[in-house]
Amino acid sequence: MKLRYKILNGLVGFFVLSIVVLTLVLSHSSPCEPLEGDAVKGQTMQAIVGRCYGSADILELETLPRPMVSKNEVLVKIKAAAVNPLDWHYMRGSPYLMRLVSGIGKPKDVSVGVDFSGVVEAVGDEVTRFSPGDEVFGGASGAFAEYIVVTDERAVVHKPDSVSFVQAAALPIAAITALQAVRDKAGVKPGDRVLVNGASGGVGTYAVQIAKAYGAQVTGVCSTRNVELVQSLGADRVIDYKKASYAEDEAVYDVIIDMVGNHSMTANKNVLVPGGKLVMVGGPKGNWIAPLINPLKAMFMKPFVDREFTTLLATMNQPDLTTLGELMEQGKLVSVIDRSFALRQVPAAIRYSESGRARGKIIIDMQ
């Protein structure tokens, strides 16, 4: 065999071996280890932690030291928090590629939860935007706890007085995702025909309202039991996917905001006008490549179609949180609350979220 073929075979073998090793490493989950050390002293708090990857069964309510603020931090006593799919993706470490960031074998950060609202308890010496007693909401790691610390420059803003803690806590991840999908990725403008696929979910309920606030004609897609809910949010038309498919309908759209990913790129293209946009927020579930299939298809189809296919990875920031608070204060946005759970019931709340049956948001009510 010629030398170049030997080298090529060797490279191919090395590549295959590397993929196998990476697969084994990323998919391995270390066993849960109990909290080490002596009993916690001083000021304490109750918090949900996940010390390994797995189902909601691995989540535990523990007594931890209450966090202290540094010079640019804000300590918030949490009044309400909200559950998001992001929480159980990190809990399970799935898709496995995310473990390159969250931790190999077990999570680097054992805290759970992101969305919160509450009252400022203390501030660092250099904090000027907030004072003790201020009512705030935002997003930071560790929201399933009695207290949380967040730097004053991160995603935390004042809560409008007319907005409840529960309504505000539901906003951050889901509503920012909807806002950035509708406003930034889709560029929705008055008169646009917008279809929201998955209109009764956490992101979908906000997307319907935000698209209406931007002057669009909105069609929502949901199951039979959620038709009235989506209509109540302002949708001009609702398609019950159990009775009809929007991909086989005669209507066409300028924008599709897709939280489900249950139709092919071609099917979506056929109901988009030339120059129309498909914004993919959600898609197929899986531990490996399933979540990447639709974005990869969109990338390969891009040069050959006169529609725009794009994915969204939302980013938490203060300006968008402020915008959402203003929309809520103006009566243009409400949080649809499905159920509320106590802090000790977070595992049950996560299981309910994973079931896919929730309408709108799931709340962890500290009050």
Side-chain angles (χ1 to χ4, degrees):
M1 183 182 293
K2 293 183 178 180
L3 179 60
R4 64 174 177 270
Y5 291 120
K6 290 182 179 180
I7 294 174
L8 180 60
N9 287 338
L11 290 175
V12 170
F14 176 76
F15 176 76
V16 171
L17 179 61
S18 298
I19 293 296
V20 171
V21 171
L22 181 63
T23 299
L24 293 174
V25 169
L26 290 182
S27 61
H28 171 70
S29 296
S30 301
C32 272
E33 298 177 354
L35 178 65
E36 297 179 356
D38 300 327
V40 177
K41 300 178 182 179
Q43 291 186 316
T44 63
M45 68 172 185
Q46 296 289 294
I48 295 290
V49 301
R51 299 188 178 278
C52 59
Y53 292 124
S55 70
D57 294 338
I58 61 97
L59 300 177
E60 298 285 348
L61 181 65
E62 295 185 2
T63 299
L64 301 177
R66 185 184 302 182
M68 304 291 289
V69 295
S70 63
K71 58 185 180 181
N72 65 335
E73 290 180 332
V74 178
L75 175 67
V76 178
K77 181 177 177 59
I78 297 178
K79 297 293 187 179
V83 176
N84 294 282
L86 181 69
D87 301 323
W88 44 264
H89 279 299
Y90 271 101
M91 176 189 76
R92 291 184 176 273
S94 174
Y96 292 143
L97 288 175
M98 72 184 297
R99 297 187 181 191
L100 293 171
V101 175
S102 64
I104 304 295
K106 61 182 180 179
K108 298 175 183 177
D109 184 358
V110 302
S111 61
V112 188
V114 176
D115 292 353
F116 71 88
S117 65
V119 178
V120 174
E121 187 93 348
V123 299
D125 294 339
E126 295 183 0
V127 175
T128 58
R129 294 180 57 242
F130 301 101
S131 301
D134 287 353
E135 297 181 350
V136 297
F137 73 102
S141 179
F144 297 160
E146 292 180 313
Y147 292 87
I148 193 170
V149 161
V150 58
T151 59
D152 67 333
E153 296 180 352
R154 299 298 294 274
V156 57
V157 298
H158 289 93
K159 177 183 73 64
D161 293 337
S162 61
V163 177
S164 71
F165 286 112
V166 166
Q167 284 281 306
L171 284 172
I173 288 179
I176 272 186
T177 299
L179 177 65
Q180 293 175 4
V182 170
R183 181 195 63 194
D184 302 335
K185 287 289 186 177
V188 170
K189 57 187 182 299
D192 278 354
R193 294 159 293 180
V194 176
L195 180 133
V196 179
N197 187 24
S200 62
V203 177
T205 51
Y206 291 124
V208 169
Q209 297 175 80
I210 292 171
K212 286 298 296 181
Y214 278 78
Q217 299 175 24
V218 180
T219 297
V221 181
C222 62
S223 64
T224 307
R225 74 185 184 103
N226 295 320
V227 168
E228 291 186 5
L229 166 64
V230 176
Q231 288 173 335
S232 73
L233 297 175
D236 301 283
R237 181 183 177 219
V238 181
I239 297 174
D240 179 351
Y241 70 77
K242 293 188 176 182
K243 298 179 179 178
S245 170
Y246 76 82
E248 298 173 359
D249 196 66
E250 294 182 355
V252 292
Y253 305 94
D254 301 289
V255 171
I256 296 175
I257 309 292
D258 188 7
M259 267 66 69
V260 184
N262 58 341
H263 292 287
S264 68
M265 297 291 108
T266 300
N268 282 306
K269 178 185 76 69
N270 291 340
V271 293
L272 280 170
V273 299
K277 298 178 180 179
L278 167 67
V279 181
M280 293 175 285
V281 178
K285 298 178 182 178
N287 290 328
W288 291 106
I289 65 170
L292 302 175
I293 290 176
N294 283 344
L296 289 174
K297 286 181 179 178
M299 182 176 66
F300 285 116
M301 289 181 65
K302 185 174 181 179
F304 307 104
V305 296
D306 57 356
R307 279 77 164 171
E308 184 178 338
F309 298 155
T310 183
T311 57
L312 172 68
L313 290 175
T315 57
M316 195 85 73
N317 62 77
Q318 288 182 359
D320 284 352
L321 286 173
T322 300
T323 296
L324 292 169
E326 292 170 350
L327 286 172
M328 189 164 274
E329 192 172 29
Q330 295 163 8
K332 296 179 180 179
L333 191 65
V334 297
S335 297
V336 176
I337 307 302
D338 185 302
R339 298 184 186 181
S340 294
F341 294 80
L343 180 60
R344 59 182 170 78
Q345 296 174 313
V346 164
I350 294 283
R351 292 187 193 99
Y352 183 52
S353 177
E354 287 191 282
S355 75
R357 300 195 306 271
R359 306 196 305 171
K361 298 292 295 180
I362 302 166
I363 293 297
I364 307 302
D365 194 341
M366 307 294 182
Q367 303 181 81

